[in-house]
Amino acid sequence: MACKPNYHVDPSQVEKDLRAQAAQYPETKIQGETRLGNFEITLAEETPLHRLNFVRLVKMGYFKDRYFYRNVYEIGMQGGGEFRDRLAYLVPAEYPDHLKPERGTIAMARYDEGNPKKSSSPTEFFIITNTEQAARFYKQYVVFGKVTKGLAVIDSIQKQRSFDEKPVIPVKFNLSLLKD
């Protein structure tokens, strides 16, 4: 049996640990593969902790055989690590004024309980499909990238038949790094 990668980051020094690993994770482009097609994401340099964390987890294989497990019809869809798969750290919030929740942007989800600083989940993200409905998320969830290819694929995933925000047949995805 293969060893599971160690995704752990010390919760008391997340920023320090991620910045210390910056040289190992310079990438900014991610490819998503699904049964409905592929999409590409370009990560924002203005949110270095979120970019580093995301690239680190992609490179370590965390986002292999994951699912888009929530369709919020009026806003977008959520995927990544679900509740049972939570990592024991949070990524400090980064809110550049110009990064807004707009159609095609990617933002990190957040655990609300006991989180007054609005730090992000390290593994759960969502992709916005409706700018107007997502406007209320401005500076509530960290926007850290944008879908640059395959937005029609994202729309197809988000429109999958769901019951109470849960897709009847969740769409599996794999994320991998692309050369910049």
Side-chain angles (χ1 to χ4, degrees):
M1 177 158 62
C3 294
K4 187 175 181 178
N6 182 4
Y7 304 119
H8 179 73
V9 172
D10 183 338
S12 67
Q13 56 184 29
V14 173
E15 183 171 358
K16 180 181 173 189
D17 284 358
L18 289 175
R19 289 191 190 280
Q21 298 176 46
Q24 298 173 54
Y25 306 111
E27 297 88 353
T28 60
K29 296 195 184 296
I30 307 291
Q31 177 172 288
E33 297 177 12
T34 77
R35 64 180 164 80
L36 299 174
N38 297 343
F39 59 93
E40 292 180 16
I41 297 168
T42 299
L43 303 176
E45 297 285 349
E46 301 91 340
T47 53
L49 299 176
H50 285 74
R51 186 192 60 74
L52 284 166
N53 179 71
F54 204 72
V55 169
R56 175 181 169 272
L57 292 175
V58 168
K59 208 172 215 180
M60 294 175 81
Y62 183 89
F63 293 109
K64 297 282 185 204
D65 295 327
R66 296 292 174 166
Y67 290 91
F68 287 108
Y69 55 83
R70 184 175 178 217
N71 282 331
V72 184
Y73 295 116
E74 68 276 6
I75 296 169
M77 61 192 196
Q78 187 169 343
E82 294 182 72
F83 180 79
R84 67 182 178 353
D85 229 3
R86 282 187 176 178
L87 298 182
Y89 68 94
L90 298 174
V91 180
E94 301 171 289
Y95 292 111
D97 289 340
H98 69 284
L99 291 179
K100 297 178 179 175
E102 299 171 335
R103 179 170 163 70
T105 57
I106 181 172
M108 289 312 283
R110 188 178 76 230
Y111 310 142
D112 289 328
E113 57 283 345
N115 187 3
K117 293 182 179 180
K118 300 180 194 170
S119 297
S120 299
S121 157
T123 63
E124 294 177 70
F125 63 91
F126 55 96
I127 300 175
I128 303 295
T129 56
N130 184 311
T131 300
E132 184 179 329
Q133 292 296 320
R136 67 182 185 253
F137 291 164
Y138 181 60
K139 293 201 176 187
Q140 297 297 313
Y141 299 92
V142 174
V143 172
F144 70 106
K146 186 168 183 83
V147 174
T148 50
K149 289 184 184 172
L151 197 51
V153 172
I154 299 302
D155 289 339
S156 295
I157 296 167
Q158 200 262 338
K159 290 176 183 170
Q160 294 294 296
R161 189 169 150 229
S162 298
F163 178 75
D164 197 24
E165 295 189 349
K166 299 284 184 197
V168 174
I169 301 172
V171 175
K172 184 185 286 190
F173 67 86
N174 291 301
L175 298 182
S176 59
L177 298 173
L178 289 171
K179 299 285 183 202
D180 286 342

